[in-house]
């Protein structure tokens, strides 16, 4: 039973080797392909040139000499990895092939163009014919021809147009009257071998009636009768080379079609010569050489400059062209690592299109440029030299559609090589992986077709939008390639070095250490008319080769303020949502559906990234936000990182806004803000230009002082993790600013003073002061207010004084509060309010401080002294900010600081107020200090002056 099972298994295996996949009335009784040595044993040495290759095709028959159907077409897909050299013999012209000498020759093709012979059994005739290497028509790589029973038969051979790019042999439109029964086609591995002389060209020519000559003797390798020796004076070059890989049995498949419309497909595996045969693949891969080399050179020799790249793989393979030699292994996989510092150039994204998988599918031999992959997706060119062809092959390098490529990666490449003349088209995808920390590029091409070449040259384009950036420092750099052979064994590591010798613009080239840092800064309002609203503009720039911009602070000049009323704050949840928008399509989503509400947008930002003369600009939006890292307000720049075809999400940078409580100056605080992004998705941004436009209508307000000021900035520089972090020391820059037309602003504010209670001598009335400026006039800069001589400071009522340390710590004792103040401004929706505190000073008397709180904090400080026998409060350097009204209410009675020296109701009491405007104008007033005298004490004194 065990032997029976083994026998049945062997018979089943033999059936799988030779039988077609489906039986039909029309079809093949047997199909076989063998590769043999001179002793007829199977040729299995990988990379060798077999003595001959024989293809056997036996058709189903209805009876003796009667085929079951009439062959029209046949397509035969060869084993993967076998290659043929169309130039191994001279080619015969078609006119010579079709010219006969009746009774002498069926063709005038020279003997030197013979590649083998064919044995054909037709309905009435059995014949042997020489097989010639014919001049192929356009679109055909190799054309074979033989004459069977006065019928020319041609076989056109080319490469499959899809992986594994094996050879495809086609026989088309066989004459319907031929009646093919069986066919044996033998091709020689090395046609120049003298062993083939008896069967070469004119030495093989027989046309015999069926049965007259045993043309097809028994055995698997029929040989024709010979009519002598036909030598060749052509060079002895191999025509066939076996695959250079040892991975098991290989498949030859076929499809045949009849004139009656029937078809059949099947296949056969390479096998041994046992009975029954067993599957066998190539062997001896360890004997194959493998020594390719690489060369990689950027097209620019300058540091940190836009550059293309010339990369080549060179293979020296003597065995491929030696009849007795072994061809080297083909390259199965390449992993090329460019030097650290060679990174993707963001400038290349502008105007770049991508090649989708559908576009790649439209790349055919007949497609014109742009009909497949868009022209704008082309990054470079390809040139391939192979010893199997007498002309170079050319192609293009395209950038693949991000995330929709065979690797689902951000970066991928398509190489498309095609020759319409030779009928060759090869497409190869490669993955490009940038290091997330350094941007170093690693490109992997796997399952490279088993097609020998002597040189593969890849040229990335040059110019302003070159796809690469050279390292930032001069010196020697090394490219490494790990090359894996199809023959197996250990991968080979090849290297190539280049040297950067000059800097950008032929300047001195940095050779290490800390790169320079000389950024540019400009800022100001578009319209500098005093007290006018105007868009604000700020620009930061960096030169190629300088340290990266890592963070910045910007301080606005005094009086340049923003109208916060009417502008909402972007919620924290919305900012968090924007930060979570990372990866494929998230940047586009942010563009379509911004995270922050439109009511919180105060401007725009434009970031220019890249190296060279042309940058890629990416727009974003600037929003007002709430407290951040101890600051009362912040601004958030949300930039969808969508550049050309690339989308890596949204970039969120938040800047804390500090407001000086004494001067109201606004500072975007770099020390409490997010850093400027250095690298995204493994692509160093090389940010060179940041433009901020705060252009919300009626938002940024110019000062009312025309003193010369400046927008000042502090910038920090840094470098990549590979070439040092820079000195990280701040650099101060400024941009001059001065408002205009201040003299045209009016300045005549109002002040009302009123005392309530304690009108008699020795009384302690409460004081209420109301300051009211006129809209559109210059803002207050200073105020010196002297109360009437009737009012004295009662030092006995000074309970507690807040020290400066306590005040700074916001820990003033409750007893240090002597009143309340409220300030209203058109810039704010809610007023600022807070206690009036006595704080220690450097003078004889404590300072008067209105400690105001709200959306922002403000400290209004007045020095208290005595002038001409009256109490004087002097406010100096008041913030240049518009006010609607300021109300100060001081306590009275037992908590009152003011004591009357006489009865307030006896006569009018006037104060003296000297107002200084920010525009340099001065206004003096003598407002009446109102008192609550009542009817019995006389009429109530006026409170305004």
């Amino acid at each position: 039973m065990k032997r029976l099972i083994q026998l049945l298994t062997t018979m089943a295996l033999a059936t799988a080797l030779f039988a077609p996949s489906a039986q039909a009335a029309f079809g093949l009784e047997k199909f076989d392909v063998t590769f043999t040595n001179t002793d007829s044993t199977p040729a299995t040495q990988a990379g060798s040139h077999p003595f001959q290759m024989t293809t056997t095709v036996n058709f189903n028959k209805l009876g003796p000499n009667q085929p079951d159907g009439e062959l029209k077409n046949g397509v035969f897909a060869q084993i993967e990895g076998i290659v043929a050299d169309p130039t191994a013999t001279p080619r015969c012209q078609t006119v010579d092939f079709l010219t006969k000498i009746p009774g002498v020759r069926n063709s005038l093709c020279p003997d030197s163009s013979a590649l083998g012979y064919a044995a054909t059994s037709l309905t009435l005739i059995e014949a042997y014919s020489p097989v010639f290497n014919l001049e192929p028509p356009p679109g055909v790589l190799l054309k074979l021809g033989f004459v069977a029973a006065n019928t020319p038969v041609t076989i056109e051979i080319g490469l499959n147009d899809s992986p594994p790019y094996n050879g495809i042999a086609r026989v088309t439109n066989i004459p319907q009257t031929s009646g093919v029964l069986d066919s044996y086609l033998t091709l020689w591995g090395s046609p120049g071998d003298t062993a083939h002389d008896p069967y070469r060209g004119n030495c093989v020519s027989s046309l015999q009636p069926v049965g007259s000559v045993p043309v097809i003797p028994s055995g698997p390798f029929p040989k024709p009768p010979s009519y002598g020796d036909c030598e060749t004076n052509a060079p002895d070059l191999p025509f066939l080379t076996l695959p250079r890989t040892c991975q098991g049995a290989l498949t030859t498949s076929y499809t045949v079609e009849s004139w009656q419309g029937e078809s059949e497909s099947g296949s056969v595996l390479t096998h041994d010569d046992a009975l029954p045969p067993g599957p066998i693949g190539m062997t001896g891969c360890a004997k194959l050489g493998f020594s390719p080399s690489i060369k990689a050179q950027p097209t620019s020799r300058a540091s940190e400059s836009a550059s293309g790249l010339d990369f080549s793989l060179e293979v020296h393979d003597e065995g491929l062209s030696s009849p007795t030699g072994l061809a080297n292994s083909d390259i199965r996989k390449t992993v090329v690592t460019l030097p650290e510092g060679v990174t993707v150039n963001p400038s290349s994204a502008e105007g770049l299109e991508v090649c989708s998988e559908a576009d790649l599918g439209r790349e055919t031999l007949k497609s014109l440029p742009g009909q497949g992959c868009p022209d704008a997706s082309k990054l470079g060119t390809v040139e391939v030299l192979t010893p199997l062809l007498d002309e170079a092959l050319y192609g293009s390098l395209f950038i693949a559609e991000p995330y929709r490529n065979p690797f689902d990666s951000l970066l991928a490449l398509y190489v498309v090589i095609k020759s319409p003349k030779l009928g060759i088209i090869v497409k190869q995808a490669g993955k490009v992986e940038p290091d997330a920390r350094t941007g170093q590029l690693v490109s992997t091409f796997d399952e490279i077709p088993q097609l020998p070449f002597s040189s593969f040259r890849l040229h990335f384009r040059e110019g302003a939008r070159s796809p690469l950036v050279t390292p930032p420092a001069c010196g020697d750099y090394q490219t490494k390639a790990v090359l894996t052979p199809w023959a197996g064994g250990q991968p080979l590591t090849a290297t190539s070095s280049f040297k950067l010798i000059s800097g950008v613009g032929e300047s001195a080239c940095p050779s290490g250490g800390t790169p320079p840092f000389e950024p540019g800064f400009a800022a100001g309002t578009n319209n500098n008319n005093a007290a006018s609203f105007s868009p604000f503009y700020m620009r930061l720039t960096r030169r190629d080769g300088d340290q990266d911009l890592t963070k910045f602070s910007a301080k606005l000049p005094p009086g340049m303020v923003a109208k916060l009323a009417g502008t909402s704050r972007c919620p924290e949840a919305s900012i968090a949502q924007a930060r979570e928008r990372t990866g494929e399509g998230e940047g586009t989503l942010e563009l379509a559906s911004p995270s922050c509400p439109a009511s919180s947008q105060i401007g725009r930002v434009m970031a220019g990234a890249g190296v060279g003369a042309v940058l890629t600009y990416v727009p974003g939006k600037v929003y007002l936000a709430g407290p951040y890292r101890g600051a009362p307000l912040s601004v958030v720049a949300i930039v969808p990182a969508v550049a050309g075809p690339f989308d890596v999400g949204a970039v969120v940078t938040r800047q804390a806004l500090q407001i000086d409580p004494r001067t109201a100056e606004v500072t975007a605080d770099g020390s409490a803000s997010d850093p400027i992004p250095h690298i995204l998705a493994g692509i160093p941004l090389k940010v060179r230009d940041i433009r901020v436009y705060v252009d919300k209508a009626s938002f940024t307000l110019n000062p009312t002082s025309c003193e010369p000021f400046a927008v000042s900035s502090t910038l920090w520089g840094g470098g990549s993790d590979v070439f040092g972090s820079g000195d990280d020391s701040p650099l101060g820059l400024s941009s001059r600013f001065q408002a205009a037309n201040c003299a045209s602003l009016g300045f005549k504010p109002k002040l009302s003073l009123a005392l309530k209670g304690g009108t008699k001598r020795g009384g302690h009335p409460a004081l209420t002061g109301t300051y009211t400026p006129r809209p559109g006039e210059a803002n207050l800069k200073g105020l010196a207010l002297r109360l009437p001589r009737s009012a004295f400071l009662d030092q006995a009522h000074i309970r507690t004084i807040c020290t400066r340390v306590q005040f700074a710590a916001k820990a003033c004792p409750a007893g240090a509060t002597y009143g309340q103040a409220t300030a209203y401004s058109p810039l704010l929706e809610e007023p600022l309010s807070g206690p009036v505190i006595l704080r220690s000073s450097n003078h004889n008397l404590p300072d008067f401080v209105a400690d105001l709180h709200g959306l922002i904090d403000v400290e209004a400080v007045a020095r208290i002294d005595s002038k001409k026998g009256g109490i004087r409060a002097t406010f100096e350097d008041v913030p240049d900010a518009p006010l609607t009204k300021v109300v100060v209410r001081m306590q009275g009675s037992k908590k009152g600081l003011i004591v009357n020296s006489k009865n307030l109701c006896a006569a009018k009491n006037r104060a003296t107020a000297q107002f200084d405007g920010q525009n340099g104008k001065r206004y003096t007033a003598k407002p009446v200090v109102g008192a609550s005298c009542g009817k019995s004490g006389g009429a109530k004194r006026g409170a305004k002056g």
Side-chain angles (χ1 to χ4, degrees):
M1 177 61 69
K2 183 177 180 180
R3 291 182 177 178
L4 177 59
I5 293 175
Q6 291 176 338
L7 178 61
L8 291 174
T9 301
T10 302
M11 293 175 64
L13 183 58
T15 301
L17 284 170
F18 294 121
S21 59
Q23 290 292 337
F26 168 79
L28 300 189
E29 175 185 329
K30 179 182 179 182
F31 175 72
D32 192 19
V33 178
T34 59
F35 304 92
T36 54
N37 299 310
T38 54
D39 59 0
S40 297
T41 58
T44 62
Q45 172 59 56
S48 67
H49 313 292
F51 182 70
Q52 63 187 27
M53 167 187 174
T54 301
T55 302
T56 300
V57 179
N58 299 148
F59 287 89
N60 294 331
K61 303 174 183 63
L62 293 174
N65 302 322
Q66 185 177 2
D68 193 350
E70 297 165 321
L71 175 66
K72 179 182 181 182
N73 301 318
V75 178
F76 303 88
Q78 307 303 307
I79 61 174
E80 181 180 351
I82 190 171
V83 292
D85 184 354
T87 66
T89 69
R91 292 186 175 100
C92 176
Q93 298 298 319
T94 301
V95 63
D96 293 333
F97 173 67
L98 297 176
T99 300
K100 303 178 183 179
I101 301 178
V104 179
R105 299 184 64 167
N106 280 341
S107 173
L108 291 183
C109 286
D111 294 342
S112 60
S113 65
L115 291 172
Y117 53 85
T120 309
S121 177
L122 307 175
T123 302
L124 300 176
I125 297 293
E126 295 173 332
Y128 282 105
S129 308
V131 177
F132 297 106
N133 185 7
L134 304 182
E135 188 70 35
V140 176
L141 181 61
L142 174 65
K143 183 177 181 180
L144 308 180
F146 63 91
V147 179
N150 296 318
T151 301
V153 178
T154 58
I155 304 171
E156 294 185 347
I157 302 173
L159 284 185
N160 197 342
D161 60 4
S162 60
Y165 298 106
N166 54 322
I168 304 293
R170 289 180 171 85
V171 184
T172 57
N173 293 320
I174 301 296
Q176 193 169 359
T177 58
S178 61
V180 179
L181 298 172
D182 302 294
S183 176
Y184 294 81
L185 178 68
T186 295
L187 299 176
W188 299 321
S190 296
D193 190 336
T194 57
H196 301 309
D197 288 353
Y199 312 104
R200 188 190 314 278
N202 196 45
C203 288
V204 176
S205 182
S206 66
L207 287 171
Q208 303 293 338
V210 173
S212 62
V213 175
V215 177
I216 306 176
S218 60
F221 307 111
K223 289 187 177 180
S226 174
Y227 294 87
D229 284 344
C230 293
E231 299 178 354
T232 176
N233 56 3
D236 188 6
L237 298 175
F239 173 62
L240 298 176
T241 304
L242 292 179
R244 281 74 60 206
T245 182
C246 302
Q247 297 182 326
L250 302 171
T251 301
T252 305
S253 62
Y254 72 88
T255 297
V256 290
E257 300 174 341
S258 72
W259 282 99
Q260 289 74 30
E262 298 176 291
S263 66
E264 181 189 77
S265 298
S267 62
V268 65
L269 296 174
T270 52
H271 56 83
D272 57 23
D273 57 356
L275 291 175
I280 187 174
M282 299 296 108
T283 60
C285 280
K287 298 179 182 179
L288 303 188
F290 186 68
S291 58
S293 62
I294 68 166
K295 186 175 182 180
Q297 295 285 327
T299 59
S300 172
R301 305 299 298 276
S303 62
E304 193 164 282
S305 61
S307 178
L309 180 72
D310 287 317
F311 177 85
S312 66
L313 267 173
E314 304 294 332
V315 177
H316 183 66
D317 189 358
E318 293 181 352
L320 187 66
S321 57
S322 171
T324 58
L326 297 179
N328 286 349
S329 173
D330 299 312
I331 301 172
R332 180 173 187 169
K333 180 180 180 180
T334 67
V335 180
V336 178
T337 303
L338 295 180
E340 292 180 336
V342 176
T343 58
V344 173
N345 185 5
S347 294
S348 63
E350 186 70 24
L352 184 67
E353 296 183 25
V354 295
C355 181
S356 68
E357 291 187 295
D359 293 332
L360 186 65
R362 287 190 289 271
E363 281 286 344
T364 65
L365 288 171
K366 295 182 179 179
S367 64
L368 298 175
Q371 291 181 337
C373 293
D375 288 339
S377 67
K378 185 176 177 179
L379 292 182
T381 59
V382 178
E383 180 186 39
V384 180
L385 301 177
T386 171
L388 303 181
L389 299 174
D390 52 9
E391 59 184 86
L393 300 175
Y394 297 96
S396 299
L397 178 70
F398 300 100
I399 185 72
E401 183 177 11
Y403 307 112
R404 291 171 179 80
N405 53 63
F407 316 104
D408 298 323
S409 61
L410 173 66
L411 299 177
L413 300 172
Y414 293 134
V415 173
V416 179
I417 301 169
K418 59 182 177 180
S419 171
K421 176 184 176 182
L422 299 176
I424 294 175
I425 181 167
V426 176
K427 306 173 188 178
Q428 180 73 36
K431 183 179 182 180
V432 180
E433 299 174 277
D435 184 273
R437 183 180 65 89
T438 66
Q440 186 176 21
L441 298 172
V442 179
S443 300
T444 302
F445 287 81
D446 201 358
E447 299 300 311
I448 299 172
Q450 298 179 59
L451 302 172
F453 62 85
S454 56
S455 178
F456 178 92
R457 299 169 185 169
L458 183 63
H459 173 75
F460 283 90
R461 71 185 184 197
E462 304 173 60
R465 298 204 182 277
S466 297
L468 299 175
V469 175
T470 57
C474 285
D476 295 314
Y477 295 90
Q478 187 180 83
T479 300
K480 182 180 74 172
V482 178
L483 309 171
T484 302
W486 272 102
Q490 292 298 317
L492 178 145
T493 298
T495 60
S496 174
S497 297
F498 64 84
K499 186 179 185 68
L500 296 182
I501 60 174
S502 64
V504 176
E506 301 302 323
S507 61
C509 186
S511 57
T514 302
F517 187 57
E518 299 179 10
F521 174 75
T525 54
N526 291 353
N527 171 19
N528 68 337
N529 194 54
S532 297
F533 286 104
S534 173
F536 174 79
Y537 165 80
M538 182 178 68
R539 184 180 185 187
L540 308 174
T541 58
R542 181 188 69 88
R543 304 177 307 176
D544 282 336
D546 274 13
Q547 299 176 45
D548 286 337
L549 296 169
T550 58
K551 56 183 178 179
F552 74 94
S553 290
K555 185 177 182 180
L556 301 184
M560 186 177 289
V561 292
K563 184 179 179 181
L564 302 179
T567 303
S568 68
R569 258 60 96 210
C570 181
E572 295 296 324
S574 298
I575 299 172
Q577 172 182 288
R579 291 189 188 276
E580 292 173 358
R581 285 182 167 176
T582 60
E584 176 192 0
E586 294 294 334
T588 302
L589 178 60
E590 178 65 28
L591 283 171
S593 179
S595 298
C596 292
S599 59
S600 65
Q601 184 180 350
I602 60 174
R604 301 170 291 118
V605 63
M606 187 76 72
V611 172
V614 182
L615 303 181
T616 292
Y617 282 89
V618 180
K621 295 180 179 180
V622 179
Y623 301 93
L624 184 65
Y628 188 60
R629 296 182 180 178
L633 293 170
S634 59
V635 290
V636 178
I638 301 179
V639 180
V642 181
F646 304 111
D647 180 351
V648 294
V651 178
V652 179
T653 306
R654 193 169 183 180
Q655 197 91 3
L657 291 181
Q658 301 285 2
I659 292 91
D660 189 312
R662 293 292 306 274
T663 65
E665 290 174 290
V666 179
T667 299
D669 188 358
S671 63
S673 304
D674 298 341
I676 299 171
H678 163 71
I679 187 169
L680 283 178
I683 300 176
L685 299 179
K686 305 291 184 181
V687 176
R688 295 224 340 254
D689 190 358
I690 300 175
R691 305 180 188 185
V692 180
Y693 306 87
V694 182
D695 55 4
K696 180 179 180 179
S698 300
F699 184 77
T700 303
L701 184 64
N702 284 329
T704 60
S705 169
C706 287
E707 293 291 323
F709 296 117
V711 181
S712 59
S713 178
T714 302
L715 291 88
W716 284 263
S720 70
D721 291 335
V722 177
F723 293 94
S725 59
D727 52 22
D728 200 33
S729 60
L731 176 67
L733 298 173
S734 64
S735 181
R736 187 180 185 278
F737 175 83
Q738 187 173 16
N741 303 318
C742 294
S744 64
L745 299 176
F747 184 67
K748 195 175 181 180
K750 295 181 180 180
L751 178 66
S752 65
L753 299 169
L755 296 172
K756 183 178 181 180
T759 58
K760 295 181 179 181
R761 177 183 171 86
H764 293 80
L767 173 65
T768 299
T770 303
Y771 171 78
T772 308
R774 295 198 298 185
E777 292 191 341
N779 298 323
L780 180 70
K781 181 179 182 180
L783 167 63
L785 172 64
R786 181 170 59 84
L787 295 179
R789 293 181 180 180
S790 59
F792 286 87
L793 177 66
D794 190 346
Q795 297 192 39
H797 277 208
I798 298 178
R799 302 179 300 276
T800 304
I801 296 175
C802 183
T803 68
R804 290 180 178 272
V805 174
Q806 290 173 325
F807 187 87
K810 301 183 185 301
C812 287
T817 298
Y818 295 87
Q820 292 289 321
T822 303
Y824 301 85
S825 171
L827 304 180
L828 303 174
E829 292 178 343
E830 300 291 335
L832 304 179
S833 63
V836 174
I837 295 171
L838 290 186
R839 188 181 68 185
S840 60
S841 72
N842 297 325
H843 314 292
N844 293 330
L845 296 174
D847 286 339
F848 171 102
V849 181
D851 188 16
L852 304 178
H853 303 283
L855 181 61
I856 60 175
D857 294 340
V858 172
E859 299 171 20
V861 181
R863 179 168 60 87
I864 306 298
D865 63 1
S866 176
K867 179 71 173 179
K868 295 182 180 180
I871 302 172
R872 184 175 66 175
T874 303
F875 293 86
E876 296 177 344
D877 296 323
V878 176
D880 188 1
L883 296 169
T884 304
K885 181 173 65 173
V886 179
V887 179
V888 178
R889 293 182 173 87
M890 299 300 294
Q891 298 171 349
S893 188
K894 295 181 179 181
K895 296 183 179 181
L897 293 176
I898 298 175
V899 59
N900 300 328
S901 63
K902 62 181 180 180
N903 189 326
L904 300 181
C905 296
K908 283 185 178 181
N909 297 285
R910 288 182 179 272
T912 300
Q914 180 177 290
F915 303 92
D916 289 320
Q918 293 283 350
N919 62 347
K921 293 183 177 180
R922 175 170 286 182
Y923 173 67
T924 301
K926 293 184 176 293
V928 174
V929 179
S932 52
C933 295
K935 293 182 179 180
S936 60
K940 182 178 180 180
R941 306 303 181 189
K944 295 182 180 180

